[in-house]
Amino acid sequence: MLKRISAALALAGAAVMMSSCASSATPAGAGSRADCTTTTSLGVVAGTARAGLCAFRGIRYAEAPVGSLRFRPPRPVGRWRGTLQATDDKAVCPQDRDTMSEDYPDARTLFTDEDCLRLNVWTPGTDHRRRPVIVFVHGGAARFGTANEPRYDGAKLATRGDAVVVSINYRLGVLGWSELGGLDPSYKGSGNNGLRDQMTALRWVRDHIADFGGDPANVTAVGESAGAFSLSAMLATDHPERLFQRVILESGSGALVHSAAYERKVASALPVKSVAELRRMSTKQILGMQNKIIDQDEPGILGATYFAPYIDGTLVRDSVIKRVAQGNARAVDLLLGTNRDEMNFFGQLGPEAMTGIAQQYETVFFPQELAARRKRMVAAYRRGRSATAAALAMFSDQGMRVPATRLAQAQSRWRPTYLYEFGWRPTEEYGAVHTIELPFVFGSFRFTGILGGDKAFQADRARLTTLSDQMIDAWTSFTRTGDPNARRTVQRPTWPAYRAPQRATMMWNVDATVANDPRGRERALWDGYPFAAFDLPA
């Protein structure tokens, strides 16, 4: 059963030329929607027109990381000749199909194409109107997922928010997140290559998004789960404001960025003696090796935390919360939050799975540093809960909710910061699980990996559509101005900035409300624990 859970666990130069289809005699955006062609400093790109938007799919932002470039930092793409037909919506970085939690663009069971460093753009027009830009970094345990999942379709965000939406692929698993410097010093830092891919894509956006109608000086990076871990790690790099002006973190923060010690443990599990040996392996062989390592050494929910950015001291300088508290991201606006029952996601295979996840939390994940207060904490969480539900609530708080409050508090010293909790529960048994906010943020209403989601949505479609509209308005308002309250086309409460001691939190549900310090007594039980990085006892 735990193996099944593991398998299911699872974000050059400046543009210089005007759109080839716009003219001074044409209203802004009208001509560009006709043929969806634009000219960048890299070459001409042609997309497709759809529902009043231009969609560009599968634009390569970095060279294929194959051959001598495998396990190397990404190399930005160069110029091309002719017109690039940006119509490929099937790019998926190498992975085995995750049959439960991912919403793949086709029916393949195995994805092996390493030439996957591509991005998608949705825009109301290639007309140089300098719209706000949203760049989405997908989740999937840094092991699964793709920017081409239908649930991540950017059309509604682009239309409702008059924004340019970008989604990006990045290397996954061993290919993107294995530190090989111990095998060959010239590969030092390879454990953050997936992060470097994302940063390269963000630089591509900075340099070229103006030719797609976006404003390179107004970029918001949005990440979910592993995508949020990655973006939070960027907050601990030098000058994150050069990558984006704003960040939205959904269900992920710096607490799950790996420590250097944990990354060494991951590296030591590779059953090879040289990088050359790894480079000779086929993609399929690497995926098989990866699955074997995780199933044998890190069963159950540990598979969801096996790959991640890590604190290497060079790119990711130190603990995210520490760096943010020191003002490293003082020029970046921050909105973040979690779902009410995050860890129940990994128990959706049934009562046995729920019990198994709770037991693994109690035996593996609970911090040894808090052993002296464990009995008191368990007693507090048991009020009104079963033993299993209490363990899962503690796990959700430790892994997601409390670190988010810490990061919000750290950044609130420098910038207005906004915290949320998503609480809609399609079933009482599982609640508001990990990933449940995504169908609402994108307005796609695709409930992959959320048991009972489709049925519950159909039963309350009108109110849940309003909830989605409220969230999209808040997300795109924050994207445009740094304030989620600036645009409210659908009535919703004013969302105050997060500051201690009030700790105002937007509670997203069919009747959205604002609560001050929700479940504050449970949050306070974690006081003194640093949430510096992800590590486990030896």
Side-chain angles (χ1 to χ4, degrees):
M1 176 61 70
L2 287 177
K3 288 186 179 180
R4 291 179 63 203
I5 298 168
S6 177
L9 299 181
L11 174 241
V16 296
M17 303 182 70
M18 293 191 305
S19 166
S20 63
C21 54
S23 72
S24 58
T26 304
S32 59
R33 282 193 292 268
D35 63 5
C36 292
T37 302
T38 191
T39 301
T40 76
S41 61
L42 296 174
V44 180
V45 189
T48 55
R50 184 184 64 171
L53 293 172
C54 288
F56 300 83
R57 308 299 296 269
I59 302 174
R60 184 184 282 109
Y61 67 84
E63 299 293 345
V66 298
S68 64
L69 296 183
R70 196 189 237 186
F71 305 115
R72 293 293 190 184
R75 180 180 294 174
V77 71
R79 291 178 57 84
W80 56 81
R81 294 182 179 181
T83 298
L84 174 66
Q85 299 296 326
T87 58
D88 180 4
D89 61 356
K90 299 294 190 293
V92 178
C93 285
Q95 60 192 275
D96 291 285
R97 189 181 190 90
D98 181 348
T99 57
M100 174 180 160
S101 62
E102 302 302 327
D103 188 20
Y104 291 101
D106 57 39
R108 283 175 287 174
T109 59
L110 181 67
F111 303 90
T112 60
D113 188 357
E114 294 182 48
D115 182 12
C116 62
L117 299 186
R118 300 167 185 261
L119 55 79
N120 308 310
V121 180
W122 292 264
T123 179
T126 56
D127 46 23
H128 291 260
R129 284 185 56 183
R130 299 180 73 84
R131 297 172 179 85
V133 180
I134 300 169
V135 181
F136 180 69
V137 185
H138 70 80
R143 184 182 170 195
F144 302 110
T146 173
N148 288 306
E149 298 190 29
R151 63 175 166 180
Y152 303 147
D153 188 295
K156 188 167 184 179
L157 277 173
T159 301
R160 190 171 180 87
D162 189 29
V164 177
V165 179
V166 181
S167 62
I168 66 174
N169 279 344
Y170 55 94
R171 280 174 283 183
L172 303 170
V174 167
L175 291 165
W177 303 96
S178 286
E179 179 51 57
L180 305 178
L183 296 175
D184 182 337
S186 72
Y187 285 84
K188 184 178 180 181
S190 62
N192 275 325
N193 278 345
L195 190 67
R196 289 185 174 89
D197 291 346
Q198 298 166 16
M199 296 170 75
T200 299
L202 285 163
R203 294 186 187 103
W204 187 99
V205 168
R206 178 194 64 197
D207 293 344
H208 305 295
I209 205 65
D211 295 308
F212 296 84
D215 183 355
N218 190 3
V219 174
T220 298
V222 182
E224 188 270 338
S225 193
F229 309 160
S230 297
L231 293 178
S232 67
M234 291 183 207
L235 297 178
T237 64
D238 290 339
H239 301 292
E241 72 279 0
R242 295 178 183 174
L243 297 171
F244 39 63
Q245 288 66 54
R246 302 183 178 94
V247 167
I248 298 176
L249 305 177
E250 300 174 21
S251 301
S253 68
L256 288 173
V257 173
H258 286 179
S259 69
Y262 189 70
E263 190 64 21
R264 286 192 294 270
K265 180 177 182 292
V266 171
S268 68
L270 290 172
V272 296
K273 296 181 179 180
S274 69
V275 177
E277 188 178 346
L278 269 178
R279 285 182 52 190
R280 286 194 296 267
M281 288 185 177
S282 69
T283 311
K284 185 176 181 179
Q285 287 173 324
I286 286 179
L287 291 175
M289 173 190 68
Q290 171 181 300
N291 294 339
K292 185 177 180 180
I293 291 170
I294 292 175
D295 288 345
Q296 288 183 351
D297 296 345
E298 306 290 2
I301 200 169
L302 281 166
T305 56
Y306 195 78
F307 297 109
Y310 85 102
I311 300 169
D312 58 6
T314 302
L315 182 64
V316 184
R317 294 287 193 175
D318 206 336
S319 158
V320 174
I321 290 179
K322 179 179 178 181
R323 291 276 281 175
V324 168
Q326 293 170 344
N328 191 65
R330 69 183 70 189
V332 178
D333 296 320
L334 179 62
L335 183 155
L336 73 166
T338 58
N339 301 332
R340 180 67 169 81
D341 307 291
E342 291 275 5
M343 296 304 174
N344 290 14
F345 175 87
F346 304 112
Q348 288 186 100
L349 294 175
E352 179 187 349
M354 295 282 275
T355 301
I357 295 299
Q359 290 174 345
Q360 192 173 31
Y361 171 67
E362 293 170 348
T363 58
V364 177
F365 283 94
F366 184 85
Q368 291 183 340
E369 298 92 326
L370 299 182
R373 68 175 83 165
R374 181 170 185 160
K375 185 177 294 186
R376 176 166 57 92
M377 294 178 71
V378 170
Y381 276 89
R382 277 298 306 271
R383 295 189 186 108
R385 298 185 180 102
S386 68
T388 294
L392 290 168
M394 290 180 72
F395 203 177
S396 293
D397 277 4
Q398 179 184 329
M400 297 289 182
R401 184 175 79 98
V402 179
T405 67
R406 294 284 183 84
L407 187 57
Q409 185 171 346
Q411 183 66 347
S412 68
R413 177 183 176 187
W414 306 100
R415 306 282 283 192
T417 300
Y418 299 89
L419 187 73
Y420 75 86
E421 179 176 284
F422 188 91
W424 178 66
R425 313 180 83 194
T427 68
E428 286 299 317
E429 183 178 8
Y430 300 113
V433 300
H434 192 61
T435 78
I436 199 171
E437 86 288 354
L438 289 169
F440 296 89
V441 169
F442 282 92
S444 63
F445 303 123
R446 296 180 68 93
F447 292 90
T448 304
I450 302 168
L451 293 184
D454 285 317
K455 182 178 180 180
F457 174 74
Q458 295 302 330
D460 200 7
R461 189 182 187 98
R463 290 200 304 166
L464 293 174
T465 299
T466 297
L467 171 60
S468 174
D469 289 344
Q470 290 174 330
M471 295 182 72
I472 290 173
D473 281 358
W475 263 234
T476 56
S477 175
F478 177 80
T479 296
R480 188 174 296 276
T481 67
D483 180 358
N485 302 293
R487 181 175 183 267
R488 284 190 280 179
T489 63
V490 180
Q491 185 177 2
R492 56 185 168 88
T494 299
W495 187 348
Y498 186 92
R499 295 184 185 87
Q502 291 83 11
R503 305 180 187 274
T505 305
M506 175 63 79
M507 311 297 285
W508 290 116
N509 212 320
V510 287
D511 295 308
T513 60
V514 174
N516 287 335
D517 198 15
R519 302 189 306 286
R521 290 183 179 180
E522 292 175 356
R523 175 197 55 75
L525 292 169
W526 301 92
D527 285 354
Y529 185 67
F531 293 103
F534 180 74
D535 204 350
L536 290 173

